[in-house]
Amino acid sequence: MDHITVVGGGFAGLTAAITAAEAGAAVTLHEAHHTLGGRARTADGPYLTNEGPHALYHRGPHWAWLRRRGLLGPMARVPMAAGSRVFFHRDGALRRIPPLGMVRLGLRDPVRAPVDTDFATWATAGAGPAAARAAAHFSAVALFHHDPGALSAAFVQERLRRLTALPPEAHFPRGGWGQLIGRMAAYARDLGVRLETGSRVDALPENTPVIVATSLAAARRLLGDETPRWTGGRTVLLDLALRTAGRDPYIVSDLEAPGWLERFTATDPSLAPAGEQLLQGQFPIGPGNDKGDGVARAERLLDLGFPGWRERVVRRREAVATDRTGAVDLPGTTWRDRPRIDRGGGVFLAGDQVAAPGVLVEVAFNSGIEAAMLALRRAPGRAGRRPAAPGPTPREGSSAA
């Protein structure tokens, strides 16, 4: 039986392991942490936080893949009542209605947005500077970048279009993303995958294809190769548990600077104890800023949307995420220009910053599938044979939408 090694037990690594095992390979997965999940881990209770705001877009390729295997599980969606509690910070105040120009930009086909022009320039030409700025800042929830307007117009527009889709694409695994990871892990074990947690790999094993499903920084160390690099972002992540009082907003989106607050207990009350609300937010910061700058912006938004919030705090946690929130494409680049999956010598990369299409976790999913298929072709017993695809693979030119 062919043997494949997977390093990294996040969403990409588990996807790769399942794909290879379904095709008949023996798979061993190593995860350095004591639990699986990577950035899709959910903290232990009573506050079931993810590493920043997370959502599963139901039009993405992973949705059908998970559902066919019975892994999707109970999902929460945005309730109609919560939809009326979405606010937009602009012109110094919270407003219920976004700028009309931003809405019009959200309807534009991303296929028509140029790759080699920055979003701010392209959107300003079509909708004016105010709408372009608001749309760029709104899109930051799916970008984790301090200056979305400076990124490729095609890259940002795809995310803006999906963020503004009606009905909303975003769904949420009930009980946090850890529940989804748990189902994937159980399914992998049933397929015979050996899942080794607390297992740090310091050198690549020989005579077996290896899928490295880690951050690019960890992959560089493991491969001894400094070339796998791509642009990411620095983002202040905020977790806040508040005692329930009145009708708190569901979402507060900052259109004056990139920033986002979301009350996740509005869609899934099980994420916090009864009588409490769980908020998670992200506030991108530039090279010259520090955590304090992001926290200050978060607090200004909280003052507007959650009056008296300081007296209601029962738990607070802050962190800075650097290059841990997916790839961003600068003008003149696309996902094809990111670090390639096939590194040669039977080594393959998977994760959310490599050359695969999609939005956020969809990149990890697509790269995990592709890495597994390439590894299967390189397995000693598979020479000259193309394995049957166990699930959807990225199509050339696909947006994975």
Side-chain angles (χ1 to χ4, degrees), residues 380-394:
R382 302 255 173 167
R385 292 192 289 126
R386 181 185 178 92
T393 57

Side-chain angles (χ1 to χ4, degrees), residues 235-247:
T235 303
V236 172
L237 304 179
L238 173 68
D239 300 339
L240 201 63
L242 304 178
R243 288 187 293 274
T244 301
R247 295 185 66 223

Side-chain angles (χ1 to χ4, degrees), residues 6-204:
V6 179
V7 181
F11 192 82
L14 284 168
T15 299
I18 289 170
T19 301
E22 286 182 333
V27 182
T28 301
L29 182 149
H30 298 273
E31 167 55 49
H33 197 272
H34 68 279
T35 58
L36 298 167
R39 292 196 296 276
R41 291 188 192 96
T42 299
D44 295 332
Y47 305 104
L48 303 179
T49 57
N50 300 309
E51 189 170 337
H54 280 42
L56 192 71
Y57 290 178
H58 77 268
R59 293 179 186 171
H62 49 348
W63 184 275
W65 188 88
L66 291 165
R67 183 172 55 190
R68 283 200 299 271
R69 289 158 178 78
L71 304 178
L72 200 56
M75 302 294 293
R77 66 176 66 191
V78 180
M80 293 299 294
S84 67
R85 302 295 296 167
V86 175
F87 293 89
F88 304 90
H89 176 222
R90 58 189 179 96
D91 301 326
L94 292 189
R95 305 177 188 278
R96 293 181 180 271
I97 300 175
L100 181 59
M102 186 184 97
V103 175
R104 288 174 174 165
L105 273 173
L107 296 174
R108 297 181 70 172
D109 189 342
V111 172
R112 299 189 177 187
V115 168
D116 56 358
T117 301
D118 66 83
F119 179 80
T121 299
W122 174 76
T124 296
R133 184 169 55 252
H137 293 160
F138 180 77
S139 300
V141 67
L143 297 170
F144 299 87
H145 191 270
H146 69 283
D147 187 10
L151 305 177
S152 163
F155 175 78
V156 176
Q157 183 62 23
E158 179 188 9
R159 283 137 187 83
L160 178 63
R161 178 70 176 268
R162 295 182 68 181
L163 287 168
T164 56
L166 292 175
E169 285 195 42
H171 288 64
F172 313 91
R174 290 195 180 276
W177 274 67
Q179 297 295 318
L180 174 61
I181 293 298
R183 289 188 289 272
M184 294 179 72
Y187 182 74
R189 289 190 183 96
D190 287 344
L191 290 170
V193 176
R194 184 176 177 180
L195 301 176
E196 299 283 354
T197 56
S199 177
R200 182 175 297 278
V201 175
D202 296 317
L204 295 178

